[in-house]
């Protein structure tokens, strides 16, 4: 057997494996190294004859060999990312558009306050865009995610489930929200949606600088 013909079917267990010159315990040979790839070419009961990549052959207890899959799962499929940002971006756009239409109807007198509250009930959208970097609120999983244009990664998540009450008032730029230390002191609290307290304002220089998502905050 040449190296080109060698196709491992098993690997040796992590503790190594005793080997014999023949299917006979009275004829031991060099033991096999841990995790050594081997090809099982013959069986006699529990005995198995293996061949190594260099052509060396021996008999082992075939029951102890670890089988190697012949083909990895989804082999040949194109590479893809598991966290495509586009669906979440589309949901954020839809939620914002729904709120905008409800606000326009209220401002134009086509609906009243009660209808406005009903049409916007349950809407949760959050987005911060800073050049190529985007922070999105994933309302379905109640977490903030970071997007670099190609994939999403979790930035922050609440320590527990959100409450059932309405969200607290949210601060605006330049305004200190009661119960916080003031603008620029802490990053936003993604859990501050339903009943989790007011949202703190983040200093734009800090959000865009060294404390980007992925670094130590």
């Amino acid at each position: 057997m040449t190296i080109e013909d060698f196709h491992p079917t098993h690997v040796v267990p992590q503790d190594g494996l005793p080997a014999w010159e023949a299917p006979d315990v009275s004829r031991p040979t060099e033991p096999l190294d841990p995790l050594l790839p081997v090809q099982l070419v013959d069986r006699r009961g529990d005995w198995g004859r293996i061949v190594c990549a260099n052509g060396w052959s021996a008999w082992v207890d075939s029951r102890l060999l670890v089988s190697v899959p012949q083909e990895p799962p989804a082999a040949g499929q194109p590479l893809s990312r598991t966290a495509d940002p586009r669906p979440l971006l589309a949901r954020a756009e839809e939620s914002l558009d729904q709120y905008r239409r409800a606000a326009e109807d209220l401002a134009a007198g086509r609906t009243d306050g009660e209808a406005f509250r009903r049409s916007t009930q349950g809407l949760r959208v959050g987005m911060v865009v800073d050049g190529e970097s985007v922070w999105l609120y994933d309302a379905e999983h109640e977490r903030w995610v970071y997007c670099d244009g190609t994939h999403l990664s979790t930035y922050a998540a609440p320590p527990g489930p959100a409450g059932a009450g309405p969200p607290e008032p949210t601060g605006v730029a330049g305004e200190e929200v009661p119960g916080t230390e003031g603008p620029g002191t802490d990053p936003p609290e993604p859990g501050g949606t339903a009943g989790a307290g007011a949202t703190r304002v983040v200093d734009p220089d800090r959000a865009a600088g060294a404390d980007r998502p992925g670094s130590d905050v």
Side-chain angles (χ1 to χ4, degrees):
M1 176 182 291
T2 64
I3 295 178
E4 291 76 12
D5 296 329
F6 178 75
H7 300 289
T9 60
H10 297 75
V11 294
V12 175
Q14 61 182 0
D15 295 328
L17 197 63
W20 293 265
E21 294 179 357
D24 183 348
V25 294
S26 65
R27 301 176 60 185
T29 185
E30 293 295 324
L32 301 179
D33 293 333
L35 304 180
L36 177 71
V38 298
Q39 182 175 355
L40 183 62
V41 295
D42 192 10
R43 284 182 182 270
R44 294 185 186 178
D46 293 335
W47 289 96
R49 187 169 74 88
I50 57 91
V51 178
C52 300
N54 61 2
W56 187 80
S57 178
W59 288 84
V60 298
D61 185 345
S62 63
R63 299 171 297 178
L64 303 179
L65 293 172
V66 180
S67 180
V68 174
Q70 294 304 300
E71 190 172 281
Q77 297 297 319
L79 295 174
S80 61
R81 294 185 179 272
T82 57
D84 188 343
R86 290 172 294 182
L88 185 55
L89 287 167
R91 289 198 298 270
E93 183 179 5
E94 292 170 0
S95 297
L96 184 60
D97 185 62
Q98 182 178 342
Y99 187 92
R100 179 187 57 78
R101 288 185 277 106
E104 288 179 350
D105 289 343
L106 179 64
R110 292 190 290 268
T111 58
D112 56 16
E114 181 61 29
F116 175 74
R117 284 188 291 272
R118 287 198 304 269
S119 62
T120 58
Q121 185 175 10
L123 287 180
R124 293 178 183 174
V125 59
M127 177 184 294
V128 177
V129 180
D130 182 14
E132 65 180 13
S133 300
V134 175
W135 291 262
L136 293 168
Y137 182 66
D138 182 357
E140 181 179 356
H141 300 97
E142 296 187 339
R143 62 177 182 172
W144 281 90
V145 296
Y146 172 70
C147 173
D148 62 3
T150 57
H151 72 285
L152 299 174
S153 58
T154 300
Y155 176 43
E168 296 292 332
T170 299
V172 297
E175 175 186 344
E176 183 172 340
V177 180
T180 68
E181 292 79 1
T185 58
D186 290 306
E189 297 181 353
T193 53
T199 301
R200 294 174 182 169
V201 180
V202 178
D203 185 345
D205 292 334
R206 179 179 178 183
D211 291 330
R212 287 184 180 276
S215 64
D216 294 332
V217 179

